[in-house]
């Protein structure tokens, strides 16, 4: 594979040296569904060299409206396995690990071992908060994303900044369960999560640190607030 051609369209944004940096980075993506599928796809295409992905579910027909990794041929198959297959079709040099499990207080620390960045594509608020706490304790930055209907939010959570704990409080369920999701909301939110991830991994630009980006696509509003 000619890598000068593979990343030709990146070079105005990402230098060859930065491309090598991305190749060395290790990113954990929690969830392989609506958000996670797009996140995994984009990180692989950008050349992040080590991807660890986690999910416990299988694809079903309700996923076909929005989850890029799902199709009519892989219904009933594990999301993690399909995510790894997809990465290998994009870039066979990427090192991948897949974990078909439910995240809990015991296994999360092992998953966070030797990781440069965590990207949150979970649909459980308690799990998001637990991961935030573990990342803080281990000194790992987390890129948060959440979606529901027409709206989405993204935040960069540095160690010691408990944005989710402050924002969600005692809330157990997010708005996705009530509002569902079309195809465009997860794609849009995942794109922003990935752009924030690349800025963090390459230490360039300004990130959404200490703030939350809130997007309402129905009313075309994009706003940030301090967290």
């Amino acid at each position: 594979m000619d890598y000068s051609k593979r990343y030709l369209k990146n070079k105005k944004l990402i230098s060859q040296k930065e491309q090598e940096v991305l190749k060395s980075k290790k990113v954990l993506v929690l969830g392989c569904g609506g958000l996670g599928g797009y996140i995994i796809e984009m990180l692989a295409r950008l050349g992040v060299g080590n991807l660890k992905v986690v999910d416990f579910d299988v694809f079903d027909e309700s996923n076909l409206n929005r989850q890029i990794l799902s199709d009519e041929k892989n219904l009933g198959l594990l999301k993690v396995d399909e995510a790894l297959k997809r990465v290998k079709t994009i870039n066979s040099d990427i090192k991948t690990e897949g974990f078909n499990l439910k995240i809990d207080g015991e296994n999360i620390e092992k998953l966070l071992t030797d990781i440069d960045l965590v990207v949150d594509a979970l649909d459980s608020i308690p799990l998001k908060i637990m991961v935030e706490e573990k990342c803080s304790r281990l000194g790992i930055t987390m890129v948060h994303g959440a979606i529901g209907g027409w709206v989405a939010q993204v935040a960069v959570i540095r160690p010691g900044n408990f944005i989710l704990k402050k924002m969600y409080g005692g809330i157990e369920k997010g708005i996705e369960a009530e509002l569902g999701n079309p195809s465009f909301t997860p794609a849009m939110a995942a794109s922003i999560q990935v752009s924030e991830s690349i800025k963090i991994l390459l230490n360039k630009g300004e990130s959404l640190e200490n703030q939350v980006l809130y997007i309402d696509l129905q009313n075309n509003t994009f706003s940030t607030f301090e967290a």
Side-chain angles (χ1 to χ4, degrees):
M1 177 66 67
D2 186 343
Y3 278 76
S4 64
K5 290 184 178 179
R6 178 187 286 275
Y7 298 119
L8 181 65
K9 300 298 183 179
N10 285 2
K11 70 178 186 178
K12 293 293 184 182
L13 305 172
I14 301 170
S15 69
Q16 183 176 343
K17 184 177 180 180
E18 288 173 329
Q19 203 67 62
E20 289 298 319
V21 171
L22 289 182
K23 187 178 179 180
S24 72
K25 294 298 183 178
K26 300 175 182 179
V27 176
L28 171 64
V29 182
L30 299 176
C32 299
L35 278 175
Y38 283 105
I39 290 165
I40 292 163
E41 175 91 6
M42 286 183 272
L43 290 176
R45 292 190 182 278
L46 282 163
V48 174
N50 302 270
L51 293 176
K52 185 186 289 189
V53 301
V54 184
D55 205 302
F56 68 91
D57 207 357
V58 298
F59 286 116
D60 63 41
E61 287 185 79
S62 70
N63 303 142
L64 292 171
N65 79 314
R66 70 198 185 283
Q67 296 190 16
I68 194 170
L69 299 180
S70 70
D71 58 50
E72 292 182 352
K73 294 182 180 179
N74 66 12
L75 299 180
L77 300 183
L78 292 172
K79 293 183 178 181
V80 162
D81 290 347
E82 296 305 294
L84 298 185
K85 289 179 188 176
R86 178 65 177 176
V87 170
K88 289 304 180 183
T89 65
I90 295 169
N91 187 342
S92 58
D93 287 340
I94 293 176
K95 297 177 183 178
T96 59
E97 289 184 272
F99 297 85
N100 175 43
L101 51 78
K102 285 188 176 183
I103 298 168
D104 59 32
E106 293 185 4
N107 60 38
I108 186 60
E109 292 204 23
K110 184 177 180 181
L111 293 171
L112 291 170
T113 301
D114 196 23
I115 289 295
D116 295 304
L117 183 72
V118 172
V119 188
D120 160 36
L122 298 168
D123 58 7
S124 163
I125 290 176
L127 282 183
K128 287 176 181 287
I129 293 173
M130 181 193 71
V131 172
E132 177 185 59
E133 291 174 346
K134 295 292 185 181
C135 284
S136 181
R137 191 166 66 80
L138 295 172
I140 301 171
T141 297
M142 172 181 175
V143 180
H144 159 70
I147 49 178
W150 294 84
V151 303
Q153 66 184 30
V154 177
V156 171
I157 305 172
R158 298 288 189 180
N161 188 3
F162 298 101
I163 291 175
L164 302 183
K165 193 171 184 179
K166 290 184 288 186
M167 184 167 54
Y168 287 119
I171 299 173
E172 290 290 321
K173 290 185 178 181
I175 58 174
E176 181 178 4
E178 178 183 349
L179 301 178
N181 275 306
S183 61
F184 49 84
T185 312
M188 183 267 313
S191 295
I192 298 172
Q193 284 184 271
V194 170
S195 68
E196 290 298 305
S197 297
I198 296 305
K199 287 188 286 184
I200 293 164
L201 293 172
L202 296 178
N203 192 28
K204 64 188 300 180
E206 294 187 14
S207 74
L208 286 168
E209 188 173 348
N210 298 320
Q211 56 188 323
V212 177
L213 172 64
Y214 183 83
I215 304 156
D216 182 340
L217 293 172
Q218 189 170 25
N219 296 300
N220 289 321
T221 59
F222 291 72
S223 54
T224 57
F225 60 87
E226 296 296 317

